[in-house]
Amino acid sequence: DGVKADVDLSGGTMKFTSTDAQGRKADVVIDGDAVKVFTEEGTATYSSGENVTIPADFPKDVFRYPEAKPLAAMSSAGTFMLNLKTSDALEKVGQRYKSEMTAAGWKEVSAFTSAESWMVNFGKDKREVGVILGKEDESTTIMINVVPRSSDE
Protein backbone atom coordinates (compact mmCIF):
# COMPACT_ATOMS: atom_id res chain seq x y z
CA ASP A 1 0.00 0.00 0.00
CA GLY A 2 3.02 2.32 -0.24
CA VAL A 3 3.71 2.66 3.49
CA LYS A 4 7.21 1.99 4.82
CA ALA A 5 8.28 1.80 8.46
CA ASP A 6 11.59 1.67 10.34
CA VAL A 7 11.28 0.23 13.88
CA ASP A 8 13.60 0.60 16.91
CA LEU A 9 12.78 -1.51 19.99
CA SER A 10 15.81 -0.56 22.08
CA GLY A 11 15.90 1.25 25.41
CA GLY A 12 12.53 0.11 26.77
CA THR A 13 10.52 2.12 24.27
CA MET A 14 9.30 1.50 20.76
CA LYS A 15 10.16 4.08 18.14
CA PHE A 16 9.25 3.96 14.52
CA THR A 17 9.09 6.18 11.51
CA SER A 18 6.50 5.58 8.83
CA THR A 19 6.34 7.09 5.39
CA ASP A 20 3.09 7.02 3.43
CA ALA A 21 2.64 6.74 -0.33
CA GLN A 22 2.79 10.57 -0.65
CA GLY A 23 6.14 10.72 1.18
CA ARG A 24 4.74 12.18 4.42
CA LYS A 25 6.64 10.97 7.48
CA ALA A 26 5.49 10.36 11.04
CA ASP A 27 7.82 9.59 13.92
CA VAL A 28 6.10 7.62 16.69
CA VAL A 29 7.43 7.01 20.20
CA ILE A 30 5.62 4.58 22.52
CA ASP A 31 6.81 4.61 26.11
CA GLY A 32 4.62 2.61 28.49
CA ASP A 33 1.12 4.12 28.38
CA ALA A 34 2.23 7.25 26.49
CA VAL A 35 2.33 7.75 22.72
CA LYS A 36 3.80 10.74 20.85
CA VAL A 37 3.44 11.25 17.11
CA PHE A 38 5.60 13.85 15.36
CA THR A 39 4.65 15.04 11.85
CA GLU A 40 5.16 18.14 9.72
CA GLU A 41 1.78 19.37 10.98
CA GLY A 42 2.82 19.15 14.64
CA THR A 43 2.91 16.78 17.57
CA ALA A 44 0.10 14.65 18.94
CA THR A 45 0.31 13.02 22.38
CA TYR A 46 -1.82 10.41 24.11
CA SER A 47 -1.49 9.09 27.65
CA SER A 48 -3.62 6.62 29.64
CA GLY A 49 -3.31 4.23 32.54
CA GLU A 50 -1.95 4.73 36.04
CA ASN A 51 0.50 7.52 35.19
CA VAL A 52 -1.45 9.81 32.89
CA THR A 53 0.52 12.85 31.82
CA ILE A 54 -1.64 15.92 31.31
CA PRO A 55 -0.17 17.90 28.40
CA ALA A 56 1.98 20.80 29.60
CA ASP A 57 0.18 23.10 27.17
CA PHE A 58 -3.32 22.15 28.37
CA PRO A 59 -5.07 25.55 28.65
CA LYS A 60 -4.64 27.07 32.11
CA ASP A 61 -8.03 28.80 31.89
CA VAL A 62 -9.90 25.49 31.48
CA PHE A 63 -10.97 24.18 34.88
CA ARG A 64 -9.64 20.75 35.87
CA TYR A 65 -11.56 19.27 38.77
CA PRO A 66 -8.88 19.05 41.49
CA GLU A 67 -10.41 16.06 43.30
CA ALA A 68 -10.45 13.98 40.09
CA LYS A 69 -7.98 11.33 38.97
CA PRO A 70 -6.79 11.61 35.35
CA LEU A 71 -7.64 8.52 33.27
CA ALA A 72 -6.53 9.65 29.79
CA ALA A 73 -5.19 12.75 28.05
CA MET A 74 -4.66 13.72 24.42
CA SER A 75 -3.39 16.79 22.61
CA SER A 76 -2.95 17.64 18.95
CA ALA A 77 -2.74 20.99 17.15
CA GLY A 78 -4.61 23.08 19.73
CA THR A 79 -7.15 20.35 20.47
CA PHE A 80 -7.18 18.67 23.86
CA MET A 81 -9.12 15.83 25.49
CA LEU A 82 -8.94 14.98 29.17
CA ASN A 83 -10.81 12.15 30.94
CA LEU A 84 -11.08 12.27 34.72
CA LYS A 85 -12.94 10.45 37.49
CA THR A 86 -14.01 11.63 40.94
CA SER A 87 -16.01 10.21 43.82
CA ASP A 88 -17.92 13.51 44.07
CA ALA A 89 -21.58 13.59 43.06
CA LEU A 90 -22.52 14.49 39.48
CA GLU A 91 -24.49 17.63 40.38
CA LYS A 92 -21.70 18.94 42.64
CA VAL A 93 -19.15 18.47 39.85
CA GLY A 94 -21.44 20.08 37.26
CA GLN A 95 -22.18 23.13 39.39
CA ARG A 96 -18.48 23.56 40.11
CA TYR A 97 -17.65 23.46 36.38
CA LYS A 98 -20.29 26.07 35.60
CA SER A 99 -19.02 28.32 38.38
CA GLU A 100 -15.28 27.94 37.69
CA MET A 101 -15.52 28.24 33.91
CA THR A 102 -17.71 31.35 34.13
CA ALA A 103 -15.30 32.89 36.66
CA ALA A 104 -12.45 32.26 34.18
CA GLY A 105 -14.25 34.27 31.49
CA TRP A 106 -15.95 31.42 29.62
CA LYS A 107 -19.51 31.94 28.35
CA GLU A 108 -21.94 29.06 28.65
CA VAL A 109 -23.15 28.31 25.11
CA SER A 110 -25.41 25.33 25.72
CA ALA A 111 -26.30 22.85 28.44
CA PHE A 112 -28.19 19.64 28.94
CA THR A 113 -28.56 18.12 32.39
CA SER A 114 -30.23 14.99 33.73
CA ALA A 115 -29.86 12.78 36.77
CA GLU A 116 -27.37 10.59 34.88
CA SER A 117 -25.35 13.05 32.77
CA TRP A 118 -24.50 16.69 32.09
CA MET A 119 -23.28 18.18 28.82
CA VAL A 120 -22.17 21.82 28.98
CA ASN A 121 -20.44 23.80 26.24
CA PHE A 122 -18.49 27.00 26.84
CA GLY A 123 -16.98 29.51 24.42
CA LYS A 124 -14.16 32.00 24.80
CA ASP A 125 -11.93 33.75 22.28
CA LYS A 126 -11.55 31.31 19.40
CA ARG A 127 -12.00 28.18 21.50
CA GLU A 128 -14.82 25.95 22.66
CA VAL A 129 -14.85 23.62 25.65
CA GLY A 130 -17.25 20.73 25.98
CA VAL A 131 -17.63 19.19 29.43
CA ILE A 132 -19.46 15.87 29.60
CA LEU A 133 -20.20 14.38 33.00
CA GLY A 134 -21.53 10.89 33.56
CA LYS A 135 -22.72 8.99 36.59
CA GLU A 136 -20.83 5.72 37.05
CA ASP A 137 -21.69 3.66 40.15
CA GLU A 138 -20.68 5.88 43.08
CA SER A 139 -18.47 8.18 41.00
CA THR A 140 -18.59 10.82 38.28
CA THR A 141 -16.66 10.66 35.03
CA ILE A 142 -15.54 13.92 33.44
CA MET A 143 -14.61 14.34 29.79
CA ILE A 144 -13.23 17.72 28.72
CA ASN A 145 -12.76 18.56 25.05
CA VAL A 146 -11.05 21.80 24.02
CA VAL A 147 -11.23 22.71 20.33
CA PRO A 148 -10.46 25.78 18.25
CA ARG A 149 -13.40 27.45 16.51
CA SER A 150 -13.61 29.90 13.66
CA SER A 151 -15.40 32.76 15.45
CA ASP A 152 -15.36 34.60 18.78
CA GLU A 153 -19.02 33.80 19.56
Side-chain angles (χ1 to χ4, degrees):
D1 63 3
V3 176
K4 296 183 341 183
D6 295 318
V7 179
D8 175 2
L9 299 174
S10 63
T13 62
M14 179 167 60
K15 300 175 186 174
F16 64 92
T17 300
S18 68
T19 307
D20 69 11
Q22 288 77 35
R24 295 178 299 219
K25 289 187 177 189
D27 294 312
V28 180
V29 178
I30 302 172
D31 187 4
D33 293 331
V35 178
K36 290 185 180 182
V37 181
F38 305 91
T39 67
E40 290 178 2
E41 289 83 30
T43 301
T45 63
Y46 178 78
S47 175
S48 68
E50 287 300 312
N51 299 309
V52 172
T53 303
I54 296 172
D57 57 345
F58 188 87
K60 304 292 184 231
D61 62 343
V62 174
F63 179 65
R64 290 186 309 192
Y65 202 77
E67 293 81 8
K69 175 180 175 35
L71 302 176
M74 184 276 306
S75 72
S76 177
T79 299
F80 300 89
M81 181 273 305
L82 188 58
N83 285 349
L84 309 162
K85 189 173 191 176
T86 180
S87 60
D88 289 349
L90 179 91
E91 186 168 339
K92 176 182 177 181
V93 175
Q95 292 299 339
R96 179 100 182 260
Y97 264 94
K98 285 186 166 207
S99 172
E100 296 286 343
M101 292 294 284
T102 302
W106 291 89
K107 178 183 173 192
E108 186 177 318
V109 176
S110 64
F112 166 81
T113 62
S114 74
E116 300 295 317
S117 65
W118 284 42
M119 291 177 267
V120 185
N121 290 310
F122 301 92
K124 179 180 179 184
D125 304 324
K126 291 191 179 233
R127 297 173 294 155
E128 185 171 322
V129 173
V131 178
I132 301 171
L133 308 177
K135 196 172 187 178
E136 185 178 289
D137 298 324
E138 299 299 315
S139 62
T140 300
T141 58
I142 304 165
M143 184 167 64
I144 305 167
N145 291 302
V146 182
V147 296
R149 63 181 183 179
S150 58
S151 67
D152 290 332
E153 299 172 5

